[in-house]
Amino acid sequence: MATDMQRLVGTSEDDEEIGMDVKDEDDDEDDYEENGGEQRNASGMVGIDGGNEIGTATGDNRFAQHQQFHEQAGTPGGGTRRSRPVEEKERTKLRERRRRAITARILAGLRRHGNYNLRVRADINDVIAALAREAGWVVLPDGTTFPSRSQGQKPAGGNSTILTSSSSHVASQQTPSPSLRGVASGYRSPLEYSACQTKGVFMPTPSPYDLSSTSRSQTSIVGDGEAQRDNHPLISGSIDNADEKQIADLPARLPERDLAGTPYVPVYVMLPLGVINIKCELVDPDGLLKQLRVLKSVHVDGVMVDCWWGIVEAHAPQEYNWNGYKRLFQMVREVKLKLQVVMSFHECGGNFGDDVCIPLPHWVAEIGRSNPDIFFTDREGRHNPECLSWGIDKERVLRGRTAVEVYFDFMRSFRVEFDEYFEDGLISMIEVGLGPCGELRYPSCPVKHGWRYPGIGEFQCYDQYMLKSLRKAAEARGHAIWARGPDNAGTYNSQPHETGFFCDGGDYDGFYGRFFLSWYSQVLVDHGNRVLSLAKLAFEGSCVTAKLAGIYWWYKTASHATELTAGYYNPCNRDGYAAIMTMLKINGVSLNIPCVELHTLNQHEGFPETFADPEGLVWQVLNAGWDVDLPVTSQNGFPCLNRVSYNKVLDHAKPMNDPDGRHFSSFTYLRLSPLLMERQNFIEFERFVKRMHGKLMNISNVSLGSS
């Protein structure tokens, strides 16, 4: 197990400082082989927060790295200590030396950039203790660890948590805290240095979460509801009965927040992308009806569905086909659920998570073949048909209509067609698509053009209409030479320090850079303002929301390069979200924030060099919205299946000790799938719904209900 912790945190600067020699590693390898490899495989899949990796943004990447590591460094199974070849032991020693070299660089970085006071001969316990103390915990000399606010009180069960090199122990005691979130007052990221100001925002007191590495409630699998769950027709998988010995062996847990009596936050579930096919027909209505009834049985408030522009107005301008949606909405009404509807003016397919292909309308594609500048364009002249360029918002290039007029006609047709659902209150919210993936941002990171995480992306302002706008802005400023995009901003997969524009002290903070970024971000705000003002007119009296993107990688660098290419002018010395919130407030629109389930520590584990901070980003955007009294909705950005991720959502949805008592107005779960319907995942989901509703949780009485 020592090897697992070395991979997670690192140990020391060189072989001698680690305090353990290669022979110790050989012993671990022998134990690994004698156990059939199970020990390391189990521990290697546990994140630093103890959650299942599938619930994080980089879970797939870390899983691939985990597999690659074992392919490169694995040993043949079934070996014993006495029969191991000498060559195998030499390979083991070589692997250990490589790991220690990486460890030396990790510790050097911690000392140089993080101001960690680690002794010269630091070992793994020193590193973990330093991290725990920074997180606000008390670490006694014998390793006993507990939260500082409950000093002198040991963890539940009376067993002290010893700081060892076991990854399971670390997973059970790591708790998010303000000092690790990167936005608390006085925090400075490694690359911001003293010249950069920190954005001070309210940070709620963290709750002591249950960080079980199994991502499930062990006690929820026993009790009166067990027989009913086993017989549920739509919940797949099996649950073994837990005997007394198993229950007695459960690890001690830290108590969770008591959310009984807290505000009621409605929970919606997003339907599959392909629930309506390209012919505007409802796919598998019988199966969907059964799933809707299961959701209703656990008191989900409603569902969210995309209304695709490429399906409804596919063949000719202003010829709308709503047939599939009519049948779907009627089914939802029969089950007595509510609806959140997305006006999706973008293409589906080609991005991560897309399992269907829904292009823009055919007649729009025909126009694009003769005039490709209606689409966003990068510096190399590559056009992206994912959505229309904002440069044609007021250009009559779509068969005599502007892009904004096309959006308005579509929304007005929907409002007229489903008037009865608005009158009955069945449609509770309309989310208006404002860019790629429905988010108010530029398509700066297109997978189809080769972008891969954690690239910074590219500016998308090179179609003739956007360049025309840039030229006018430069002339109005009196510097016509500025009518161009940056020529040193790198490519899609560049890193900030590799470019002259985004590096520390780069052109982004010069006179031209500030002019360009101000114009680029203002075009984004103006587009949102134009479309949302018409949306409020079309859906008068209804709740309308706009979704922002969770661009959290490189957040801890000075330039915030990825946010800049996406249109969010948010370097370390400027609040790039205030203008957007003001625009939303003027239009009476609520804010939708994604990625509220992600942990910053998880991102550091998978890609430590990207300086990602999803928690810091979420809290900055959330506070910017709450500062102007915007209603806030949210959704997860990646599959959310374990209790750690759900607790992170709850922490944002109902901030602890918020002096104003603010909370989310709703939360939408992404998305309905066979994975969610697996028995244990669904049990955990039901528990989450109850806590969002502010109901008292009695785990032994949880049941899935029947359809």
Side-chain angles (χ1 to χ4, degrees):
M1 295 301 290
T3 306
D4 299 321
M5 286 310 303
Q6 293 163 18
R7 291 200 304 272
L8 284 174
V9 185
T11 54
S12 183
E13 299 233 5
D14 51 46
D15 293 353
E16 295 181 355
E17 293 176 358
I18 292 177
M20 55 187 295
D21 55 22
V22 178
K23 185 177 184 300
D24 295 330
E25 176 64 14
D26 291 341
D27 295 341
D28 291 340
E29 293 288 338
D30 291 334
D31 294 339
Y32 166 76
E33 291 183 358
E34 291 171 359
N35 292 324
E38 295 178 359
Q39 181 181 9
R40 181 165 298 179
N41 287 337
S43 62
M45 289 302 294
V46 178
I48 195 69
D49 62 353
N52 191 329
E53 295 294 327
I54 197 171
T56 67
T58 57
D60 292 339
N61 294 299
R62 284 197 295 277
F63 180 69
Q65 292 170 356
H66 176 80
Q67 287 182 317
Q68 183 180 10
F69 174 83
H70 285 290
E71 289 173 0
Q72 294 175 350
T75 58
T80 63
R81 181 165 188 162
R82 293 185 179 85
S83 63
R84 286 187 65 201
V86 176
E87 296 82 358
E88 186 65 29
K89 290 186 177 182
E90 291 299 321
R91 285 195 294 269
T92 299
K93 293 178 181 179
L94 179 60
R95 289 194 298 271
E96 176 59 11
R97 292 190 186 98
R98 290 173 179 171
R99 283 195 290 269
R100 291 179 179 183
I102 295 174
T103 295
R105 287 191 289 270
I106 292 174
L107 286 176
L110 288 174
R111 292 191 181 99
R112 179 179 178 182
H113 301 297
N115 294 323
Y116 283 83
N117 186 20
L118 298 174
R119 60 189 178 92
V120 175
R121 294 183 176 275
D123 61 15
I124 186 66
N125 291 349
D126 295 318
V127 176
I128 299 175
L131 294 174
R133 291 189 182 101
E134 182 181 344
W137 292 68
V138 174
V139 182
L140 301 181
D142 67 347
T144 302
T145 306
F146 48 86
S148 59
R149 62 177 178 274
S150 58
Q151 196 163 5
Q153 190 176 16
K154 293 183 179 182
N159 296 325
S160 61
T161 304
I162 306 299
L163 288 175
T164 69
S165 57
S166 168
S167 62
S168 61
H169 288 178
V170 174
S172 67
Q173 67 188 20
Q174 290 289 342
T175 303
S177 71
S179 62
L180 291 181
R181 283 174 178 157
V183 292
S185 179
Y187 173 87
R188 300 203 183 278
S189 63
L191 295 187
E192 286 179 2
Y193 303 116
S194 59
C196 301
Q197 298 179 355
T198 300
K199 303 175 177 68
V201 295
F202 164 75
M203 295 299 299
T205 303
S207 59
Y209 292 147
D210 171 12
L211 299 182
S212 169
S213 62
T214 60
S215 77
R216 65 183 66 178
S217 167
Q218 296 284 359
T219 55
S220 66
I221 65 175
V222 295
D224 298 336
E226 182 65 29
Q228 186 175 5
R229 292 188 206 107
D230 285 339
N231 295 328
H232 200 285
L234 286 182
I235 308 303
S236 61
S238 62
I239 300 178
D240 298 329
N241 293 327
D243 56 27
E244 294 180 357
K245 182 178 183 301
Q246 289 173 316
I247 296 176
D249 290 341
L250 292 179
R253 296 177 182 171
L254 297 173
E256 290 184 296
R257 287 174 57 188
D258 181 8
L259 296 178
T262 55
Y264 184 102
V265 177
V267 177
Y268 290 74
V269 175
M270 191 177 296
L271 296 182
L273 290 171
V275 66
I276 303 292
N277 65 21
I278 198 68
K279 298 179 181 179
C280 203
E281 300 170 337
L282 181 60
V283 177
D284 190 18
D286 294 335
L288 179 61
L289 180 59
K290 293 177 181 178
Q291 290 178 321
L292 293 177
R293 287 173 176 168
V294 171
L295 294 178
K296 180 65 176 179
S297 71
V298 297
H299 307 292
V300 167
D301 296 88
V303 294
M304 174 181 274
V305 62
D306 290 272
C307 277
W308 295 101
W309 180 34
I311 291 178
V312 176
E313 197 181 359
H315 303 292
Q318 295 182 284
E319 291 186 6
Y320 306 104
N321 176 12
W322 298 104
N323 291 336
Y325 292 101
K326 289 180 180 178
R327 188 174 181 188
L328 172 62
F329 289 8
Q330 180 61 35
M331 182 182 298
V332 173
R333 184 190 342 226
E334 291 174 359
V335 183
K336 298 183 179 179
L337 291 171
K338 291 188 176 182
L339 275 164
Q340 293 178 336
V341 183
V342 184
M343 301 286 103
S344 296
F345 297 112
H346 61 282
E347 174 188 77
C348 180
N351 283 319
F352 294 114
D354 292 348
D355 53 8
V356 297
C357 182
I358 304 173
L360 297 185
H362 300 309
W363 59 274
V364 173
E366 292 177 0
I367 297 173
R369 280 190 282 272
S370 59
N371 181 14
D373 282 320
I374 67 173
F375 303 123
F376 282 105
T377 308
D378 63 17
R379 185 175 181 83
E380 298 298 322
R382 290 171 292 193
H383 305 287
N384 186 350
E386 188 174 355
C387 60
L388 297 179
S389 167
W390 302 336
I392 65 170
D393 277 357
K394 297 187 290 185
E395 299 285 343
R396 297 189 177 278
V397 295
L398 301 176
R399 304 280 178 88
R401 292 186 294 167
T402 67
V404 171
E405 288 173 343
V406 169
Y407 303 147
F408 177 71
D409 291 341
F410 182 88
M411 292 186 288
R412 182 174 55 184
S413 174
F414 177 84
R415 179 62 178 82
V416 172
E417 195 69 38
F418 298 100
D419 178 70
E420 60 180 306
Y421 294 95
F422 284 94
E423 296 298 327
D424 295 342
L426 181 73
I427 297 178
S428 61
M429 187 181 75
I430 298 292
E431 182 179 301
V432 180
L434 298 170
C437 298
E439 299 166 339
L440 180 59
R441 65 173 174 88
Y442 288 89
S444 55
C445 299
V447 175
K448 64 181 66 178
H449 289 167
W451 173 85
R452 294 296 183 270
Y453 180 88
I456 61 175
E458 291 188 21
F459 292 111
Q460 305 290 313
C461 59
Y462 294 95
D463 62 80
Q464 61 171 312
Y465 305 102
M466 292 286 284
L467 289 176
K468 176 182 176 182
S469 172
L470 177 58
R471 185 165 52 253
K472 288 183 178 179
E475 292 172 352
R477 181 68 182 272
H479 295 280
I481 194 175
W482 286 355
R484 58 178 176 81
D487 55 8
N488 60 346
T491 60
Y492 285 113
N493 294 311
S494 296
Q495 298 186 7
H497 63 272
E498 299 172 343
T499 72
F501 192 81
F502 297 114
C503 66
D504 292 333
D507 292 346
Y508 80 92
D509 203 27
F511 290 110
Y512 160 73
R514 291 197 295 270
F515 159 77
F516 174 80
L517 293 172
S518 296
W519 166 81
Y520 191 71
S521 61
Q522 189 60 46
V523 172
L524 176 144
V525 174
D526 291 343
H527 168 73
N529 184 56
R530 283 190 289 266
V531 177
L532 291 174
S533 61
L534 292 179
K536 288 297 290 185
L537 181 62
F539 302 115
E540 185 177 2
S542 301
C543 176
V544 176
T545 188
K547 180 182 177 183
L548 298 189
I551 310 294
Y552 54 82
W553 54 104
W554 305 113
Y555 182 84
K556 288 187 176 182
T557 60
S559 64
H560 291 226
T562 317
E563 292 171 89
L564 299 186
T565 59
Y568 304 138
Y569 189 7
N570 190 52
C572 66
N573 57 357
R574 186 181 188 276
D575 185 355
Y577 297 97
I580 298 175
M581 301 308 162
T582 301
M583 180 270 293
L584 297 181
K585 181 66 175 180
I586 291 173
N587 288 288
V589 174
S590 62
L591 168 68
N592 184 359
I593 314 176
C595 300
V596 293
E597 81 285 4
L598 300 184
H599 290 257
T600 294
L601 287 177
N602 280 11
Q603 310 309 313
H604 291 173
E605 178 191 351
F607 288 90
E609 71 281 3
T610 65
F611 297 98
D613 188 5
E615 294 177 72
L617 172 68
V618 167
W619 280 113
Q620 184 192 349
V621 176
L622 185 59
N623 280 275
W626 275 342
D627 282 347
V628 295
D629 296 322
L630 281 181
V632 177
T633 66
S634 185
Q635 64 188 57
N636 52 304
F638 297 86
C640 185
L641 300 169
N642 60 64
R643 187 168 301 181
V644 173
S645 297
Y646 285 133
N647 281 338
K648 175 53 64 178
V649 174
L650 287 161
D651 188 35
H652 289 303
K654 302 179 181 183
M656 179 181 288
N657 299 331
D658 184 345
D660 299 313
R662 297 169 295 193
H663 56 85
F664 287 172
S665 57
S666 69
F667 176 80
T668 302
Y669 178 85
L670 176 76
R671 74 180 63 242
L672 181 62
S673 67
L675 191 61
L676 174 63
M677 286 298 178
E678 290 181 6
R679 179 178 286 108
Q680 197 57 52
N681 293 338
F682 198 80
I683 290 174
E684 200 66 46
F685 173 72
E686 180 188 7
R687 184 180 188 275
F688 166 73
V689 172
K690 288 180 178 290
R691 302 192 76 204
M692 289 290 280
H693 288 172
K695 296 181 179 179
L696 179 64
M697 272 303 301
N698 185 353
I699 301 176
S700 63
N701 292 330
V702 173
S703 63
L704 294 181
S706 60
S707 58

